[in-house]
Amino acid sequence: MNYLRHSYAHTLRHTIIQWMCLLVLILPLSLQAQTQKVDSLRTALQVAQMATARLAILSQLLWELRVIDPVQAIAFGREALRLSKQKSLLPAQIILKKQAELHRFLGVAYRNAGEYGKASSEVYAALEIDQQRGDSLEIGLSFNTLSRIFLLEN
């Protein structure tokens, strides 16, 4: 019986060590791929001339940087929101959906930066737009995002 217990513990330890080694090898590759994507998006932003293209790229940068650099993500998100309100780039319903998405993404970035009050305000702004549009899927996403903020805050 002791032999079986020892054998199981040895196998478990061995498996945990293998998984840790695998994570150590894969994590840098994942971060490198994400960094390459962000670099590509930054380059695309520099050459993008159309406001709609810039809006799409800024939104992608906000999402890609939300974890690795939330402060920079927030700056891109603020710029995207500003751009979305400047003039009618797209039909009103599409712009409203994009603004709600940007507010929600900003909420996630603020949450990751530890600014829970600002995070909640952004997601409430998204929720208001979602409710105005009657989009039940997006309403659900906003409530889910709010619940995660409140979980971390308390």
Side-chain angles (χ1 to χ4, degrees):
M1 187 71 153
N2 281 338
Y3 173 74
L4 288 176
R5 229 180 281 154
H6 175 71
S7 177
Y8 175 76
H10 177 72
T11 303
L12 183 61
R13 247 181 287 149
H14 186 66
T15 303
I16 290 171
I17 290 170
Q18 284 178 330
W19 278 108
M20 289 176 65
C21 289
L22 186 62
L23 280 174
V24 167
L25 292 172
I26 291 176
L27 192 60
L29 295 176
S30 173
L31 290 175
Q32 182 181 7
Q34 193 172 19
T35 302
Q36 288 174 344
K37 184 171 186 177
V38 168
D39 290 344
S40 296
L41 287 168
R42 287 178 198 248
T43 301
L45 183 62
Q46 289 176 350
V47 298
Q49 305 220 346
M50 290 181 53
T52 52
R54 292 184 62 76
L55 179 60
I57 295 166
L58 288 165
S59 178
Q60 288 178 341
L61 281 165
L62 164 58
W63 186 249
E64 292 299 323
L65 290 168
R66 74 194 184 283
V67 173
I68 58 175
D69 190 351
V71 173
Q72 186 67 57
I74 291 165
F76 284 125
R78 288 268 153 243
E79 176 64 19
L81 263 178
R82 186 191 62 72
L83 184 61
S84 74
K85 294 174 182 177
Q86 272 186 350
K87 53 183 174 182
S88 77
L89 308 169
L90 299 165
Q93 282 300 312
I94 293 173
I95 284 293
L96 282 175
K97 182 173 180 143
K98 184 52 135 178
Q99 288 174 347
E101 177 185 88
L102 289 168
H103 281 295
R104 202 168 17 264
F105 287 1
L106 277 164
V108 172
Y110 275 119
R111 179 198 70 199
N112 292 343
E115 297 187 45
Y116 302 116
K118 289 180 180 179
S120 298
S121 294
E122 289 295 342
V123 181
Y124 277 122
L127 181 58
E128 187 177 317
I129 295 169
D130 295 335
Q131 290 173 332
Q132 177 185 351
R133 293 180 51 251
D135 190 331
S136 58
L137 177 63
E138 300 294 321
I139 290 169
L141 287 172
S142 291
F143 278 126
N144 183 45
T145 305
L146 279 170
S147 70
R148 292 177 148 199
I149 292 166
F150 292 140
L151 243 157
L152 289 172
E153 186 177 25
N154 296 315

